[in-house]
Amino acid sequence: MLIGRLTDQRATAVWLAEELLPAAVARLHKGVPASEILQAVTFGDHLDGEFTEALRGALQTLLEAVEGEEHTRDASQRALVAVARRVQAIVHQLAKDLHSMQILHGTDVVVSRGLQDIDHRNALIGRLAASIAVLGDARPGRQWSKAIPLYDILRGAMSRIVDYPRVKLQAVTEVAVIGSGAEPLIHLLAELLDNATTFSPPHTPVEVTASEVPSGIAIEIEDRGVGLTEEVREHIGRVMAQAMSGIQLSALGEVTQLGLPVVSRLAHEHGCEVDLRTSAYGGVRAVVLVPRRLITTMPQPVARPQEAVRKRTVRPVPSRPAPTPVRDVVMDSGEVRKTTNGLPQRRRESPVPKPVVLATPPPPVAPTASWGTSGTSRQPGLMWEAFNGEKKSVAESSTPPSEPSDEVE
């Protein structure tokens, strides 16, 4: 009988350690109170009452300690996110002030370049605040209401690192990222670009390409650094796997390297895949696979009202009847004049005007009216009509087709 009781107690202790405690801690992580978990636990009537009470007391102490740690962790994360949000608010306000100053002092080259440098340093502070927010299990920053072109996403990531002149955009496909995924992708790429420029020689370029693949968009970041050893690769895989389940602030250590944990966290939350491998140059080649659900078509540019071209109404110009050639009139009438010998007489295509001999000096000629103005009009002849039509066609052809003239002669 004593051996049976010892066997039951041993089996219960093993069940408590291997099954009950992991399940209870998992429920605590989901937000279930410790008191509710204790009420749902039953040890059975086959055990002694004193042994059951001892197990229940030990379980209660353990669950309360874990619950206290969870509350402390949540409070720390909320405080961390609150601090990050305050820093981001200051950064955004400073960016607005710098933008206003750039507009005001844009003509001064020296002041403008100094303001650009300050704006860039301000962006670096904003990236650090966004990384702290991600470690606190929050979104990195602002959310965009419209789709952002992928080229602008890459340029935004470049603006948040120190050695941005070394980054070379080789080929970027013409797609856009939806608003909810724009800021996380910018921050993720900024962290990878910062790692690529930090762990590679300062005189070498960092090449970036983005191409469309069946499952989405593949963004490749390739540097020419020292590459990855097996030990470093295993460490990176371990850090990124831990970040997917949850980031422990205490695990960051004194030398806080936030890049890989932040990249892993953002990739896990938004369905991206990040692969680090050795490049053909001996450095690191980071491939970010953006899922198709975050990709959309390029937004169409909206024309501003002040830049719109005013369309003018075109009045139809009445066409003048073309003069009928004399030869056609003669041929249509069917009359052919003959000479005295009975031969057909040859005629000119246009009549030759008779010479006019002036016995007195000609009267002064009145000034002719200019084009498009009213004045005394003369009765044009055939040659004047042809000259008038030729000049008019040249004047009309010089008007741009996008801005048709509304003047009618």
Side-chain angles (χ1 to χ4, degrees):
M1 176 131 180
L2 182 59
I3 296 177
R5 291 172 58 187
L6 292 176
T7 303
D8 293 340
Q9 292 177 2
R10 179 179 179 277
T12 304
V14 173
W15 169 74
L16 177 67
E18 296 181 356
E19 298 183 12
L20 180 59
L21 286 179
V25 171
R27 295 187 64 185
L28 282 175
H29 289 165
K30 294 180 181 179
V32 181
S35 58
E36 183 178 346
I37 297 175
L38 285 173
Q39 292 178 0
V41 173
T42 56
F43 292 99
D45 299 335
H46 62 286
L47 299 175
D48 294 339
E50 296 179 357
F51 183 74
T52 302
E53 290 298 328
L55 290 180
R56 188 176 296 276
L59 180 60
Q60 181 178 1
T61 302
L62 180 61
L63 292 180
E64 289 178 354
V66 175
E67 188 177 25
E69 289 293 332
E70 287 294 323
H71 289 327
T72 303
R73 176 176 175 270
D74 293 340
S76 301
Q77 288 184 346
R78 287 193 297 268
L80 198 64
V81 172
V83 172
R85 292 291 183 248
R86 293 182 62 181
V87 175
Q88 286 179 328
I90 297 173
V91 168
H92 292 163
Q93 185 60 42
L94 183 58
K96 292 181 181 179
D97 296 341
L98 289 173
H99 182 66
S100 301
M101 294 179 67
Q102 287 177 358
I103 295 177
L104 183 62
H105 304 283
T107 56
D108 193 332
V109 179
V110 178
V111 176
S112 179
R113 289 181 179 177
L115 292 175
Q116 290 178 0
D117 294 338
I118 296 175
D119 191 16
H120 181 240
R121 298 294 176 179
N122 187 50
L124 300 181
I125 299 174
R127 181 168 68 89
L128 179 59
S131 298
I132 296 174
V134 172
L135 294 178
D137 200 12
R139 57 183 177 85
R142 61 179 297 182
Q143 291 184 349
W144 301 89
S145 59
K146 60 180 181 180
I148 307 297
L150 182 59
Y151 183 82
D152 294 341
I153 295 288
L154 295 174
R155 294 285 295 180
M158 291 171 54
S159 67
R160 301 183 184 183
I161 65 174
V162 177
D163 294 334
Y164 64 92
R166 293 172 51 195
V167 180
K168 309 299 180 183
L169 298 180
Q170 299 295 335
V172 180
T173 182
E174 294 185 357
V175 294
V177 181
I178 61 176
S180 60
E183 182 64 25
L185 185 58
I186 290 176
H187 193 77
L188 186 150
L189 294 174
E191 295 292 345
L192 291 177
L193 288 175
D194 184 68
N195 287 342
T197 54
T198 301
F199 298 102
S200 60
H203 61 277
T204 58
V206 175
E207 299 178 355
V208 180
T209 59
S211 58
E212 189 171 0
V213 295
S215 57
I217 300 297
I219 303 174
E220 300 181 7
I221 301 174
E222 189 172 19
D223 61 49
R224 304 185 182 184
V226 296
L228 296 175
T229 61
E230 291 298 329
E231 183 180 358
V232 174
R233 188 187 300 273
E234 292 178 359
H235 174 70
I236 291 175
R238 184 167 58 255
V239 169
M240 298 184 70
Q242 292 176 357
M244 289 182 182
S245 58
I247 299 176
Q248 297 291 337
L249 300 180
S250 59
L252 297 176
E254 296 180 359
V255 183
T256 55
Q257 296 180 356
L258 309 181
L260 290 179
V262 171
V263 167
S264 178
R265 188 68 175 177
L266 292 174
H268 177 69
E269 290 181 356
H270 297 276
C272 300
E273 297 181 8
V274 180
D275 184 23
L276 301 177
R277 63 185 68 177
T278 303
S279 69
Y281 301 102
V284 179
R285 183 182 182 186
V287 181
V288 181
L289 183 60
V290 184
R292 191 164 293 276
R293 62 181 179 84
L294 298 180
I295 303 301
T296 183
T297 56
M298 289 283 291
Q300 297 296 330
V302 180
R304 298 181 179 178
Q306 61 270 22
E307 296 180 357
V309 180
R310 182 176 62 89
K311 295 183 179 180
R312 302 177 180 178
T313 59
V314 181
R315 300 176 185 175
V317 180
S319 58
R320 299 187 179 125
T324 305
V326 178
R327 183 179 179 183
D328 294 343
V329 175
V330 175
M331 295 300 295
D332 292 343
S333 60
E335 298 179 0
V336 179
R337 296 184 182 182
K338 299 181 181 181
T339 61
T340 55
N341 298 328
L343 298 176
Q345 184 177 358
R346 182 177 181 181
R347 294 183 177 274
R348 298 178 180 270
E349 295 183 357
S350 59
V352 178
K354 296 180 179 181
V356 179
V357 179
L358 300 178
T360 60
V365 181
T368 58
S370 59
W371 290 98
T373 59
S374 62
T376 305
S377 61
R378 57 171 291 183
Q379 185 68 26
L382 293 180
M383 297 301 295
W384 176 259
E385 183 69 24
F387 178 76
N388 188 11
E390 180 182 358
K391 282 293 183 180
K392 182 184 177 216
S393 63
V394 172
E396 289 182 352
S397 62
S398 62
T399 305
S402 59
E403 296 182 3
S405 175
D406 56 351
E407 297 179 357
V408 179
E409 295 180 356

